[in-house]
Amino acid sequence: MPHGRLSGSLCSPKIDVVIDMGNPFLNRTVDGFLKIGAVGACKVAAEETFECLHRGDVSKHKLEHALKKMCKEGAYWGTVAGVYVGMVYGVERVRGRSDWNAMIGGALSGALISGASNNHKDKIIKDAITAGAVATAVEFINYLT
């Protein structure tokens, strides 16, 4: 039976969180969900803070709305990241290579998420191509740095 453990450390400017769910696939998927989900929540927090400062008023209702929006966006971004990371890991395990897995995983993730959104067939294909291209570009940028 899998067990869970969470540990972390803070070293400026990098935050490192280690997830041990007893399975490398689950570890990577949950790690991607948490890290990118936090990015999505922080994005909304920054946008809502700017809006409140710009308008000059803060209320309990606006705070509740901002927190709900942070949770929703964080969960969405985290889910997309978790699906992508899981797909890349699965493709790497199936293929036994580490070459174009980001492109394949991105394309599969884009198609899966688009299909879950009840998009039309043409939109699913476009989303798969876009996600594969973005994942490949990110891999090339990471390779260069």
Side-chain angles (χ1 to χ4, degrees):
M1 177 164 204
H3 66 282
R5 183 181 65 167
L6 178 67
S7 65
S9 65
L10 178 63
C11 299
S12 182
K14 182 181 177 186
I15 296 175
D16 190 28
V17 177
V18 177
I19 307 295
D20 185 11
M21 302 288 291
N23 182 318
F25 172 76
L26 291 176
N27 293 347
R28 292 179 186 192
T29 302
V30 171
D31 184 57
F33 175 86
L34 291 175
K35 287 180 180 177
I36 302 303
V39 169
C42 288
K43 172 194 161 287
V44 171
E47 290 172 351
E48 294 296 318
T49 302
F50 174 78
E51 187 176 319
C52 285
L53 291 174
H54 184 68
R55 291 184 183 205
D57 67 341
V58 178
S59 67
K60 183 179 176 183
H61 174 69
K62 287 189 182 203
L63 180 62
E64 289 174 353
H65 174 71
L67 288 174
K68 286 180 183 178
K69 192 173 176 184
M70 285 172 61
C71 290
K72 183 179 177 183
E73 287 287 316
Y76 177 76
W77 284 41
T79 301
V80 170
V83 168
Y84 168 72
V85 171
M87 285 289 185
V88 171
Y89 180 76
V91 168
E92 185 174 329
R93 295 285 296 177
V94 168
R95 293 183 70 230
R97 293 189 210 153
S98 187
D99 49 7
W100 290 100
N101 297 337
M103 182 194 65
I104 297 166
L108 291 173
S109 299
L112 181 66
I113 293 166
S114 183
S117 302
N118 295 324
N119 285 328
H120 299 294
K121 183 178 176 183
D122 293 339
K123 179 78 168 124
I124 294 171
I125 294 169
K126 289 178 186 177
D127 289 344
I129 292 169
T130 301
V134 168
T136 303
V138 168
E139 283 295 311
F140 282 141
I141 290 170
N142 282 336
Y143 180 75
L144 295 174
T145 58

